[in-house]
Amino acid sequence: MDIIERGGDGFHHPSTQDELRALVRFAHDRGIKLRVMGSGHSVAGAILGAGGEDEIRVMLDRYVAVTWVEEHDDYAVVDVQAGCHLGRAPYDPTESSTWASSLNVQLQRKGYALDDLGGISHQTVSGFLSTGSSGGSLTFSVEDNLLGFTFIDGTGKVHRARADAEGEERDLFDAVGVSMGLLGVISEVRLRVRKTFNVVGKQVTSSTGADCAVDLFGAGDGRPSLTQYLRDTGYTRLMWWPQHDFGRIQMWEANRVDPTPDFEVKPYLELGRMPRLASLAGSLLYTIIGNLDDLSVVPDKLVNWRRHLEGSLEGEPDPDACPHPDPSRGTAYSVGEVVAYLQKGLTAGLKRHPTLGEESSPARERSKGLIEAAVDAIEDAAHEVGDAIEDVLGWVLAKLIELVVDGALTFPLTQKLADWFKGELPDWIDEVLGIFVSEGTITFQDCWMCGLPMDNQMDDQLWPTDFTELWIPIERTGEVMCAMRDWYSGDGDPEVALARTGTFSCELYPARKSRFWMSPAYDSDVFRVDVFWFGLNAGDPATDFYPQFWELLKRFDFRPHWGKYLPPPDASWAAHYRRVLPRMADFLTLRAKLDPKGIFLTDYWAGHLGIE
Ligand SMILES: Cc1cc2nc3c(=O)[nH]c(=O)nc-3n(C[C@H](O)[C@H](O)[C@H](O)COP(=O)(O)OP(=O)(O)OC[C@H]3O[C@@H](n4cnc5c(N)ncnc54)[C@H](O)[C@@H]3O)c2cc1C
């Protein structure tokens, strides 16, 4: 059988359904694996198999057309080839993803929209759907846009599954909607898209306590409970910074408005008014904080950071900006400016510390000899340091960062300073995070495709983030919040607390119930707990960080987001999924029928789903 040649990147890049089908038939006839990669935003194991000559790997970057089937005043019907990206993927390995070819821009140009988007829009349409991804809404869901799938099963047979079908075809639709590539290769998706809309919203950052507009941990006390808030708000997501003494919540919310000719775009600025500088500074600080035990690994981890810094210096356009970028985002910065930004933020943060300014402060005592040695050893100190202890410490920390960026790791005090900083961090974490997460309200308004994916501006390279995301029936939101709060508190011990919270945030958002059998929102509105881990940290979140949350939230019958980190692939977790997903057994039966030779079944999925 003729198949298209494998590309130099190891992937096949079919451009027609026939070419795609031939690849599946080829894999079927030889009993070899075939896996498709979308934009690669899921954990690696969820996408590809073990590799090797015998695995066919497919990317659909040449299979991206959008065909207009019907156009009406208030809706349209489109057929979208599976490789089409929702928005632009800045780091698409084939470098073919553009705004112009994206589904969202093609819809928006003709006055239409999807009902919902996730926090980013870098995904392909089929990759996004295959793991059950969604944005934060109990009111709107992209499922409302889905009319049908065309997919090729493991024998090469083409199926069409319509949302409004009955009987077996209905089952096919409900099974393939979230299927992680295990039932077949999705070739095309038919969508009914609605009239375009804009969003108007705000983000309020407050403490998690009495000044929060929502009763986060209770049933409502004049303020709405969190469940009520999630139900009443069109689109929302909360970013929880649960660190010791910090306890902040950023509540992003937006509602739809009809477009008007005089609508003025005011983009959401997740990283403040100087997003590029804040992004460079934040990425650098997190990389250092995440590797304080061994700074020698940091220079290699700063490769992308340096490229971005150089990119900004050379005035390259911001890769993460929406088609109508904010002009401030193109500004260029030097290392000195990034470090100065951090020094200012750290010094201001330390000035807020309750006891550091006191002569008898234990932290002051602990740092004395070392800081004096550092000030003596680093030239020009006299010209740069103010007298106050916070100024000195802020300056020393900035110098430490500069030394690491310069690769001056042999400077005798570098690792000593890092060890000292690590010791103080549990007590200073709120001062450090305060640089990036300040209290207050910001407002924004934008078109749907730029406004809804609020995290598009968090660059994938500067902020590589790992996630585990656990979906829990919405009724249990309050209980889950209390369990998390109590766990995060570490019984009041700052060191235990920091080990449990980490230095990053935890995202909280809802999803509307889904008809798809394997969706973690199957038949139930859900509350989602998405735990972040900065990807350049030392250590492995799968063993060092996430198990605590899997154990803590197991009793709430969570269902996992299939594109993110999963608990270990053992029989007890597979049994858990079978218990909490009532149609999983049907899904597995259908899988065995549609893919009798298991060409789509990798060890990863066999292990996690308990498939023999
Ligand atoms: C920074 C970041 C932010 C995110 N934000 C959100 C969010 O807000 N909400 C949310 O729910 N999720 C979110 N995610 C998760 C993300 O939406 C999912 O991982 C999604 O599946 C990625 O889509 P992709 O195009 O990259 O597909 P991939 O990750 O490449 O693939 C996903 C799965 O689909 C399969 N697949 C891809 N194409 C096909 C096809 N044509 N036929 C059959 N199978 C196919 C793959 O084999 C794989 O199993 C985020 C992830 C990241 C990294």
Side-chain angles (χ1 to χ4, degrees):
M1 180 187 300
D2 278 350
I3 57 167
I4 55 162
E5 269 182 40
R6 193 191 293 250
D9 58 359
F11 282 80
H12 289 80
H13 299 264
S15 58
T16 65
Q17 180 166 283
D18 284 345
E19 287 178 356
L20 187 52
R21 197 168 163 218
L23 287 167
V24 175
R25 296 280 294 270
F26 184 85
H28 170 264
D29 292 349
R30 284 162 184 72
I32 60 176
K33 301 289 173 199
L34 182 146
R35 294 291 301 175
V36 181
M37 180 160 101
S39 81
H41 277 68
S42 301
V43 293
I47 307 172
L48 300 171
E53 276 304 297
D54 270 358
E55 178 174 320
I56 294 188
R57 295 181 160 189
V58 179
M59 257 195 274
L60 297 173
D61 53 296
R62 294 184 190 156
Y63 197 59
V64 297
V66 176
T67 307
W68 293 85
V69 181
E70 291 176 37
E71 289 179 58
H72 306 276
D73 282 349
D74 52 347
Y75 78 94
V77 175
V78 286
D79 283 336
V80 186
Q81 290 180 343
C84 187
H85 286 88
L86 294 168
R88 188 175 89 88
Y91 304 110
D92 169 28
T94 67
E95 297 185 2
S96 60
S97 165
T98 62
W99 280 112
S101 63
S102 72
L103 174 63
N104 292 351
V105 164
Q106 293 188 64
L107 296 183
Q108 173 69 0
R109 281 196 178 142
K110 287 211 177 206
Y112 300 103
L114 293 172
D115 272 281
D116 185 27
L117 287 170
I120 58 166
S121 60
H122 306 162
Q123 305 94 329
T124 59
V125 66
S126 53
F128 182 80
L129 295 170
S130 291
T131 58
S133 297
S134 77
S137 180
L138 288 173
T139 315
F140 307 111
S141 164
V142 82
E143 225 168 289
D144 292 337
N145 302 121
L146 279 170
L147 292 181
F149 293 99
T150 304
F151 72 98
I152 304 162
D153 75 13
T155 66
K157 183 173 170 201
V158 177
H159 298 263
R160 290 198 172 75
R162 283 166 305 147
D164 61 359
E166 291 302 330
E168 274 186 25
E169 191 183 336
R170 183 186 181 86
D171 281 355
L172 272 189
F173 181 83
D174 291 348
V176 82
V178 177
S179 52
M180 297 85 81
L182 292 170
L183 300 190
V185 178
I186 296 169
S187 132
E188 213 167 78
V189 181
R190 176 162 287 195
L191 300 173
R192 182 187 197 275
V193 292
R194 49 156 293 121
K195 215 169 142 69
T196 188
F197 59 91
N198 292 327
V199 291
V200 174
K202 64 178 178 182
Q203 176 176 278
V204 182
T205 307
S206 70
S207 83
T208 50
D211 59 337
C212 178
V214 171
D215 180 12
L216 293 170
F217 306 101
D221 56 0
R223 301 171 296 167
S225 68
L226 181 52
T227 316
Q228 194 58 47
Y229 168 76
L230 298 176
R231 286 206 187 284
D232 292 346
T233 313
Y235 300 95
T236 180
R237 79 91 182 264
L238 290 76
M239 207 65 110
W240 186 8
W241 298 84
Q243 286 75 15
H244 176 72
D245 275 352
F246 193 56
R248 276 186 206 179
I249 196 99
Q250 290 183 303
M251 298 179 36
W252 179 101
E253 63 180 50
N255 285 298
R256 288 181 179 180
V257 293
D258 285 332
T260 52
D262 57 352
F263 182 82
E264 272 186 36
V265 167
K266 183 181 177 204
Y268 165 64
L269 296 177
E270 184 162 25
L271 291 157
R273 303 219 163 275
M274 294 180 292
R276 218 164 187 188
L277 178 59
S279 205
L280 286 163
S283 171
L284 175 60
L285 187 64
Y286 263 91
T287 310
I288 291 177
I289 285 181
N291 294 280
L292 285 171
D293 279 337
D294 180 8
L295 289 177
S296 68
V297 301
V298 172
D300 282 349
K301 293 188 175 187
L302 289 180
V303 170
N304 280 330
W305 184 84
R306 283 183 194 288
R307 282 201 311 104
H308 279 265
L309 185 80
E310 273 156 30
S312 90
L313 279 175
E314 285 162 13
E316 277 176 18
D318 187 332
D320 306 300
C322 220
H324 53 66
D326 173 3
S328 68
R329 294 180 63 91
T331 317
Y333 298 102
S334 64
V335 173
E337 284 167 305
V338 176
V339 175
Y341 177 92
L342 287 173
Q343 180 175 347
K344 194 167 159 218
L346 286 165
T347 306
L350 292 171
K351 286 193 170 159
R352 287 193 299 272
H353 190 279
T355 57
L356 198 58
E358 294 166 12
E359 273 303 324
S360 57
S361 143
R364 206 168 168 148
E365 275 305 305
R366 280 195 297 273
S367 63
K368 225 173 188 174
L370 182 65
I371 298 309
E372 278 158 12
V375 173
D376 282 349
I378 301 169
E379 287 176 16
D380 294 339
H383 306 293
E384 298 180 41
V385 195
D387 286 339
I389 180 75
E390 299 89 347
D391 290 317
V392 178
L393 291 178
W395 178 84
V396 167
L397 288 172
K399 281 292 164 195
L400 169 66
I401 293 166
E402 211 169 83
L403 288 170
V404 177
V405 173
D406 290 347
L409 299 168
T410 50
F411 181 73
L413 286 178
T414 309
Q415 189 58 49
K416 269 197 188 145
L417 283 169
D419 295 341
W420 156 76
F421 186 36
K422 186 169 184 223
E424 300 302 331
L425 198 55
D427 189 37
W428 291 357
I429 188 66
D430 49 334
E431 282 78 21
V432 172
L433 293 178
I435 305 175
F436 305 105
V437 190
S438 43
E439 292 191 10
T441 300
I442 55 173
T443 57
F444 59 91
Q445 52 183 36
D446 215 325
C447 64
W448 65 280
M449 53 159 268
C450 294
L452 292 180
M454 76 295 274
D455 290 333
N456 267 352
Q457 44 198 299
M458 298 300 287
D459 186 273
D460 284 344
Q461 292 185 337
L462 289 176
W463 296 97
T465 307
D466 294 322
F467 314 91
T468 191
E469 187 174 314
L470 313 176
W471 300 31
I472 293 162
I474 193 86
E475 302 73 38
R476 309 205 66 183
T477 303
E479 283 174 82
V480 171
M481 287 298 290
C482 291
M484 298 276 293
R485 177 198 56 195
D486 295 347
W487 178 253
Y488 278 146
S489 78
D491 300 322
D493 179 332
E495 226 166 291
V496 177
L498 187 58
R500 292 182 181 180
T501 60
T503 51
F504 221 164
S505 54
C506 171
E507 182 181 40
L508 309 169
Y509 55 154
R512 209 184 71 189
K513 78 173 171 186
S514 163
R515 62 184 278 183
F516 295 129
W517 293 350
M518 289 299 281
S519 166
Y522 175 72
D523 204 28
S524 168
D525 287 345
V526 291
F527 175 58
R528 301 153 69 179
V529 176
D530 185 12
V531 186
F532 288 14
W533 168 268
F534 184 61
L536 299 178
N537 282 345
D540 177 358
T543 50
D544 304 344
F545 193 56
Y546 288 149
Q548 56 176 330
F549 300 102
W550 297 326
E551 288 310 321
L552 181 72
L553 299 182
K554 192 173 184 180
R555 69 187 156 101
F556 297 104
D557 287 348
F558 74 76
R559 299 155 169 179
H561 187 310
W562 298 114
K564 304 191 175 184
Y565 274 82
L566 299 177
D570 62 35
S572 75
W573 281 108
H576 171 89
Y577 305 143
R578 273 178 199 256
R579 194 169 56 73
V580 297
L581 286 162
R583 300 303 300 267
M584 180 164 153
D586 297 325
F587 177 84
L588 295 181
T589 305
L590 194 57
R591 189 210 65 77
K593 191 171 145 202
L594 293 173
D595 181 22
K597 289 195 176 176
I599 65 168
F600 305 125
L601 182 63
T602 56
D603 289 348
Y604 178 90
W605 286 116
H608 283 291
L609 300 182
I611 304 170
E612 299 286 309

